[in-house]
Amino acid sequence: MGILVVFVLYLIVLAAIGIYCARLNRTLADFVLGGRRLGAWVTALSAQASDMSAWLLIGLPAMAYTNGLAALWAAAGCAMGTAFNWMVVAPRLRRATGEADALTIPDFLAARFAGARGIPVRILAVLVILLAYAAYIAAQFIAAGKTFETAFSNVSTPWGTLKITYHTGMFVGVGIILLYTALGGFLAVAWTDFVQGLLMVATVVVLPIVGLVGLGGFPELWSRLHAANPHLLGVRGAEGATGMAFVMGVVVSQLSWGLGYPGQPHILVRFMALKDPKAMRRAAFIGITWVLLAMWGAIFVGLVGRATLGDLPDTDHVMPSLALGLMPPAVAGVMIAAAIAAMMSTVDSQLLVAASAVEQDIYIRLFGGRARDRRAVWFGRITVVALGAIAIPLAWSGKSVFDKVFDAWGVLAAGIGPVIILGLVSRRANTWGAAAGMLVGGFIAQFWTTVKPLFGGDTLFRNGLIPGFFLNLTVAYLLSLATGGRRRQDTTKET
Amino acid sequence: MQLPWESLVLLVVPPAAIFALALVHWLRAPGEGQGASDECRGEERAA
């Protein structure tokens, strides 16, 4: 019952933020970018909460539970990617999008690579975003359904026993997300993400500390892990991989998560919304500190879970099971709410990015549609709800979550990341290079199953992220040079 | 029970190094509201 009360209160807070922020949306710029008036703390925590998704509280602890300290490779990759984003991409992107008055990532790319009005680059960017987010959003909906189903499988209430099924849980989670995202737009998403970011980091820091104290400290933790499987204390995975299996299958594949960061529009738009560009370094410090605490904490949730809980039938349950085992019911409820928060904070941002791509990039920029002020805000709201409704059938079967996330992350990383970097740091990259690079990178990542024999099958790369990213970068840069670099017309802002 | 040295390195060095880098990056910034930082000097304009 305690868990249910905490959950209901939490959902009411989210809905209230959405309703409050609804009044602040007067123009499309307010709805999709909060009128560029976020402070450093909200920018930092909302960027990180949007980034991490349910993977932080469910997937990463499960990875540490299964593979032990080898999960640190993924944490290191993500932390390096986050630091690169904050220190290199964020300040340049904030300035460039402010100058170009770009509201979306395709808007920025079209303005930066403006040959032929930026149409090829804009279309490709929108395609990559919608394709990847369809899978990404569906994966988060699945996580919502599963978490509700796990948390409320058998809850006693004064009116009888409550049992929430997967599909009911998904509809409850999706309903709340659509409510506050459609009503409150970017400001509601950023502020709810800020709250959710605090909740997430508190959970993954407090839970392993309580678990470690209960165990009696690190020596006992290491002893129990060694007794379960000696490889859990090493850096080579649960089976102690050696040679190429270790280098490519463990080190490179896990570190490669970090390559994906410059290509994630739901993270990048936060950088674009910072009110004072000079506050970016403070926001960077806050965001990077958050990610270090969160990722290393999440790994210790998995390790303490393995030492405390023994064998679990489903490793995805390690965080909720540890919370229910170590904490009073109300606190466990808050921690399980953090898993829902993690999912919500990602999917709300992705829905908004996808809706802004449909409205700003397709309807207004490509088809010359007219949508002003409040009418534009309502168009955006309807688009958010429509995209959410489209993703529900994709999530209906409830099959695996994190494979979809890794694939979608790879498509965005290989399709968009390299041209964002080139657009910000290279003076020579031009329209033709960017369009060809996005086409090659996006294609390889999206159709990896078909093209992987060209790259040695599964021996070298687990998905198309690494080859797609570097081929995009290479093709974009070389073709830009071959076609004369950045010509004068490329610097003209699209109108 | 002790951790193997390579696990201890992977556990401690990346977060310590990245945290130190972020701290230096922040502390070296010109004061907020006191003129443009390095990133704001208009690479786009130079092009």
Side-chain angles (χ1 to χ4, degrees):
Chain A
M1 185 65 190
I3 293 178
L4 186 63
V5 171
V6 167
F7 252 91
V8 171
L9 284 175
Y10 170 66
L11 297 179
I12 289 172
V13 168
L14 296 184
I17 291 175
I19 291 164
Y20 176 77
C21 291
R23 297 181 304 157
L24 305 174
N25 290 309
R26 296 188 181 90
T27 65
L28 185 60
D30 291 335
F31 187 73
V32 302
L33 215 51
R36 295 188 206 271
R37 50 179 185 261
L38 294 190
W41 275 92
V42 179
T43 300
L45 264 68
S46 67
Q48 295 316 134
S50 299
D51 163 18
M52 277 305 161
S53 81
W55 183 76
L56 178 74
L57 283 106
I58 305 290
L60 188 55
M63 188 191 283
Y65 179 96
T66 307
N67 293 319
L69 287 164
L72 288 166
W73 292 110
C78 289
M80 285 191 284
T82 302
F84 179 82
N85 245 11
W86 276 110
M87 293 181 192
V88 178
V89 175
R92 290 167 174 80
L93 188 66
R94 172 64 185 85
R95 178 176 180 81
T97 54
E99 283 183 357
D101 199 22
L103 296 181
T104 65
I105 289 298
D107 229 7
F108 159 68
L109 291 172
R112 166 60 183 84
F113 302 110
R117 299 188 71 222
I119 288 175
V121 174
R122 189 188 294 275
I123 291 175
L124 283 167
V126 169
L127 273 178
V128 170
I129 286 172
L130 293 181
L131 208 61
Y133 280 167
Y136 218 142
I137 291 169
Q140 302 303 315
F141 284 3
I142 292 170
K146 284 189 171 179
T147 311
F148 272 102
E149 187 184 27
T150 308
F152 300 115
S153 59
N154 193 12
V155 180
S156 297
T157 72
W159 306 278
T161 302
L162 176 72
K163 180 177 169 59
I164 291 187
T165 63
Y166 165 74
H167 290 113
T168 310
M170 187 171 73
F171 277 115
V172 171
V174 172
I176 292 291
I177 294 165
L178 291 181
L179 177 73
Y180 74 73
T181 306
L183 279 179
F186 187 90
L187 282 178
V189 166
W191 276 99
T192 51
D193 286 3
F194 172 76
V195 174
Q196 288 158 340
L198 290 174
L199 196 56
M200 288 155 70
V201 79
T203 297
V204 293
V205 169
V206 171
L207 195 52
I209 289 174
V210 172
L212 265 173
V213 171
L215 279 172
F218 283 106
E220 181 62 19
L221 172 66
W222 306 143
S223 293
R224 290 195 185 198
L225 292 175
H226 188 269
N229 175 0
H231 291 306
L232 295 177
L233 294 185
V235 295
R236 295 169 178 271
E239 291 165 9
T242 55
M244 282 298 280
F246 170 59
V247 175
M248 297 305 295
V250 178
V251 180
V252 174
S253 77
Q254 296 301 315
L255 287 178
S256 73
W257 278 96
L259 286 176
Y261 279 84
Q264 309 299 320
H266 59 289
I267 304 173
L268 300 178
V269 290
R270 293 300 193 282
F271 307 148
M272 293 158 57
L274 182 65
K275 183 177 181 182
D276 177 8
K278 298 182 196 78
M280 190 63 85
R281 290 187 182 217
R282 186 155 54 96
F285 178 71
I286 298 165
I288 292 167
T289 304
W290 186 98
V291 89
L292 293 173
L293 286 171
M295 301 217 75
W296 266 254
I299 285 174
F300 272 97
V301 169
L303 297 177
V304 170
R306 183 70 182 255
T308 307
L309 303 168
D311 289 332
L312 289 173
D314 184 348
T315 57
D316 283 355
H317 290 171
V318 61
M319 192 285 288
S321 301
L322 197 63
L324 289 168
L326 295 178
M327 297 294 181
V331 180
V334 173
M335 292 183 164
I336 295 169
I340 295 280
M343 175 278 299
M344 286 179 161
S345 63
T346 299
V347 76
D348 59 11
S349 311
Q350 294 172 335
L351 275 169
L352 201 61
V353 165
S356 60
V358 170
E359 181 170 12
Q360 170 73 359
D361 296 299
I362 297 177
Y363 178 66
I364 295 177
R365 295 291 195 181
L366 288 179
F367 291 106
R370 292 189 177 187
R372 286 180 180 275
D373 302 337
R374 295 225 175 245
R375 196 175 156 206
V377 172
W378 274 104
F379 189 103
R381 286 175 176 153
I382 293 165
T383 313
V384 166
V385 175
L387 289 172
I390 290 169
I392 286 175
L394 299 175
W396 197 256
S397 70
K399 286 181 182 167
S400 76
V401 177
F402 297 108
D403 287 348
K404 284 185 182 177
V405 171
F406 197 26
D407 291 346
W409 181 270
V411 171
L412 291 165
I416 291 185
V419 292
I420 293 276
I421 296 172
L422 284 176
L424 293 171
V425 304
S426 168
R427 294 172 188 175
R428 299 188 172 194
N430 69 12
T431 309
W432 307 116
M438 290 170 78
L439 201 59
V440 170
F443 183 85
I444 288 173
Q446 179 65 31
F447 299 102
W448 176 246
T449 313
T450 309
V451 301
K452 67 183 178 185
L454 299 172
F455 299 91
D458 290 322
T459 316
L460 292 177
F461 306 112
R462 279 175 56 203
N463 74 3
L465 193 159
I466 298 174
F469 180 93
F470 285 107
L471 272 173
N472 181 339
L473 202 61
T474 308
V475 167
Y477 193 69
L478 292 182
L479 194 65
S480 295
L481 293 184
T483 52
R486 189 182 181 188
R487 294 195 183 95
R488 188 177 180 80
Q489 65 268 26
D490 279 354
T491 64
T492 309
K493 179 177 169 277
E494 184 195 7
T495 55
Chain B
M1 188 82 208
Q2 294 289 319
L3 273 187
W5 68 267
E6 67 269 26
S7 302
L8 199 57
V9 168
L10 190 59
L11 186 65
V12 175
V13 173
I18 292 168
F19 181 80
L21 190 65
L23 187 60
V24 170
H25 178 74
W26 177 35
L27 294 178
R28 282 185 59 241
E32 288 169 27
Q34 294 176 14
S37 62
D38 291 346
E39 298 86 357
C40 295
R41 288 205 187 110
E43 291 178 289
E44 299 299 315
R45 279 186 199 159

